[in-house]
Amino acid sequence: MAPLEILEFPDPRLRKVAKPVKLVDGRIADLADQMLETMYEAPGIGLAASQVNVHKRLIVIDVSENKDQPLILINPEIRLSEGEIETPEGCLSVPGFYEPVMRFQQIQCDAIGRDGEPFSLEASDLLAVCIQHEMDHLEGKLFVDYLTGTKRQMIRKKLQKLQKQQA
Ligand code: QAP
Ligand code: CO
């Protein structure tokens, strides 16, 4: 199966707010599987549907060493958050750039799984950071939004130049 195309900053479609998934059917499950394949091939540790131009509240994550612990979160909500952690973040939509971002160190979240069943998840450190990063995508928000305007502009210019060369 061919990987899905990933939108790159500053594509305005990355700014759309994603809509809740109303029904977890086979098509949503297929999309989640395709997103996981796309993420593994990249390779990445997280991908939001917004990044593949599907504006639905669905994210996939795998922060495991052996890439054998896929997580699919549909309509994720953060219920509790605590502590702070600063981690260098990257993004498949912002290739080549990593910058430190402050996040909650620990979260509890509710979501729906690939099977349509609601579940809760406690996460800390990298997994917690990754969930927050991917949930931001669903709001049209990118990690570069936390950087200074100067840094964001520098990244935008460099990426636009690369994108023009590829076109
Ligand atoms: C979000 O990002 C994340 O620049 C997921 O050239 C990242 O999978 C959360 C990637 C870090 C927490 C910490 C980035 C691949 C992948 C690049 C990713 C690149 C190739 C990023
Ligand atoms: Co991202």
Side-chain angles (χ1 to χ4, degrees):
M1 186 167 41
L4 301 166
E5 193 183 321
I6 299 174
L7 302 178
E8 288 187 8
F9 178 67
D11 193 310
R13 292 172 291 181
L14 287 168
R15 298 308 189 175
K16 289 199 193 186
V17 177
K19 297 219 163 71
V21 173
K22 281 190 194 147
L23 181 73
V24 179
D25 56 13
R27 284 164 56 204
I28 290 290
D30 284 348
L31 172 62
D33 292 343
Q34 270 196 304
M35 283 171 56
L36 278 169
E37 276 198 46
T38 303
M39 180 190 79
Y40 286 130
E41 169 149 331
I45 59 170
L47 185 69
S50 316
Q51 293 176 273
V52 295
N53 202 26
V54 176
H55 302 282
K56 292 182 182 167
R57 305 190 77 85
L58 163 61
I59 64 179
V60 300
I61 291 177
D62 191 338
V63 297
S64 71
E65 192 107 349
N66 297 322
K67 300 288 159 219
D68 57 357
Q69 287 171 53
L71 275 173
I72 295 169
L73 277 69
I74 299 165
N75 298 344
E77 302 275 358
I78 293 179
R79 256 195 307 120
L80 271 172
S81 51
E82 63 177 60
E84 283 193 317
I85 184 172
E86 194 178 49
T87 315
E89 290 186 25
C91 181
L92 287 170
S93 295
V94 190
F97 296 89
Y98 280 80
E99 293 289 341
V101 176
M102 283 289 249
R103 302 283 188 179
F104 297 115
Q105 188 263 331
Q106 230 181 78
I107 59 172
Q108 274 180 41
C109 73
D110 295 333
I112 303 172
R114 191 188 181 283
D115 58 359
E117 290 296 318
F119 68 99
S120 293
L121 180 69
E122 275 192 47
S124 60
D125 304 312
L126 184 60
L127 178 57
V129 168
C130 201
I131 292 172
Q132 292 168 78
H133 173 114
E134 301 310 330
M135 283 181 69
D136 268 356
H137 278 297
L138 306 181
E139 299 302 319
K141 192 162 176 124
L142 303 173
F143 86 92
V144 295
D145 299 342
Y146 297 99
L147 311 179
T148 61
T150 316
K151 235 172 208 173
R152 187 166 51 255
Q153 261 194 5
M154 186 269 293
I155 293 172
R156 180 172 51 75
K157 283 183 187 155
K158 285 187 182 171
L159 279 177
Q160 278 180 318
K161 188 173 171 187
L162 282 170
Q163 288 157 14
K164 285 204 181 102
Q165 285 170 359
Q166 285 159 7

